[in-house]
Amino acid sequence: ASIINPLTHLPRLSISKSAQDDELLYNLVSDAVASKFAGLDATARMVYQVIEKSENMGIWTKDIKYQTSIPQQALNKIYKSLEGRKLIKPVKAVTAKQKKLYMLYDLVPAKEITGGPWYTTELEFDHEFISELRKFVIICVKQLNKGKGVTLKEIAKKMEEANISRVPLNLQEVQQLMQTLAFDYLIEPLGVDRNKEVMFISARKVTTNCEFKSWEVLAPDFHFRDIEYEDDVVLKAHEPHYHTA
C-alpha cells in the first residue's frame, strides 16, 4: 500500500476489476499515458478504462455503473470531467436513440452504432439518399457494356467516378444496394464473366398470359398441370410464379 498510494496519486497506475471476483487489478502505465490523466482521481481513471475497453462499439452508461459500482451522481461528475478533457464522448445508437453510450473521444463509432451510410447524422433512415443511389445503379446496369451485363466492381467504380454518394461506399455496401434491387426484381444475375464475377442485367419481364382459361382453375386436376406462358416460361405443377407489371 505504501508504494501503490503515491503511484495512484501520480496517475501511474491503471485500475480495473477482475471479472471473476471483483478484485481490483493494478497495472503500471507510461509517463505519456499518465499525463493524460493528470489531476484525475482513481475512480475517474477506472471509468475511462472501462470505456476504453469497449473500443468503437461504445458502452452504455448503465453498464459503466454496473462495472465500476460508482454512484450515479459521482459518475455524472466524472463524465463531465472526462468530456471536458476530450478523453471521452457521448454517442447515440440507431437501435436506442434515447439512451447514451460512451466511447473514447478520438474513435469513430462502428457502423453497428451509426447505421452506416444508410442513416443521417440524426440517425434517421435516409430513404431519399438510398433511392437516388438505386436509380443510379439501375442506369449503370442498363447502360454499361450496352446493357449486356455489369459486375458489382464495375458499378462500384462508376459510382466512385461519378461521386454520386455523399460518403465513400465499400463493395459490401454497394452489394447491399444491388440486393435491394434484386429483391424488387429490378435487376437479376445473368451469369459470370471471365474473372468469375457475377454479372447483372435489368430484370426481364415475365408475362402472365398463358393458354388456360380462367374457369379452368375450378377443374379438380388444375393444380397438377404444367402451364406454358407466351414467353416460353413453363410453370410446373405447384410451382409459385412471380411477374412484373
Side-chain angles (χ1 to χ4, degrees), residues 10 13 23 29 54 73 85 87 93 118 123 152 160 174 184 237 241:
L10 295 174
L13 289 180
E23 181 182 357
V29 300
S54 69
Q73 188 173 0
R85 291 169 179 256
L87 291 172
W118 316 133
L123 303 182
L152 173 65
E160 183 179 356
V174 176
D184 289 341
H241 186 51

Side-chain angles (χ1 to χ4, degrees), residues 7 16 34 74 97 140 142 149 153 155 167 192 212 219 223 229:
L7 288 175
S16 58
K97 299 176 186 178
C140 289
K142 290 181 178 180
K153 290 181 179 179
I155 290 176
V167 293
V192 296
F212 74 85
H223 294 292
Y229 289 78

Side-chain angles (χ1 to χ4, degrees), residues 42-78:
T43 55
R45 293 198 300 277
M46 182 189 295
V47 170
Y48 177 90
Q49 288 154 15
V50 168
I51 296 172
E52 183 180 31
K53 289 179 181 178
S54 69
E55 300 181 339
N56 66 343
M57 289 298 293
I59 181 171
W60 300 108
T61 52
K62 66 175 183 179
D63 293 327
I64 297 174
K65 183 178 180 181
Y66 175 77
Q67 292 187 32
T68 62
S69 301
I70 299 174
Q72 188 61 52
Q73 188 173 0
L75 273 176
N76 292 339
K77 292 181 180 179
I78 291 173

Side-chain angles (χ1 to χ4, degrees), residues 16-48:
S16 58
K17 277 189 174 183
S18 170
Q20 286 76 26
D21 52 15
D22 286 341
E23 181 182 357
L24 289 179
L25 304 176
Y26 296 88
N27 294 291
L28 190 66
V29 300
S30 67
D31 290 332
V33 173
S35 64
K36 297 192 302 181
F37 306 103
L40 293 177
D41 62 18
T43 55
R45 293 198 300 277
M46 182 189 295
V47 170
Y48 177 90

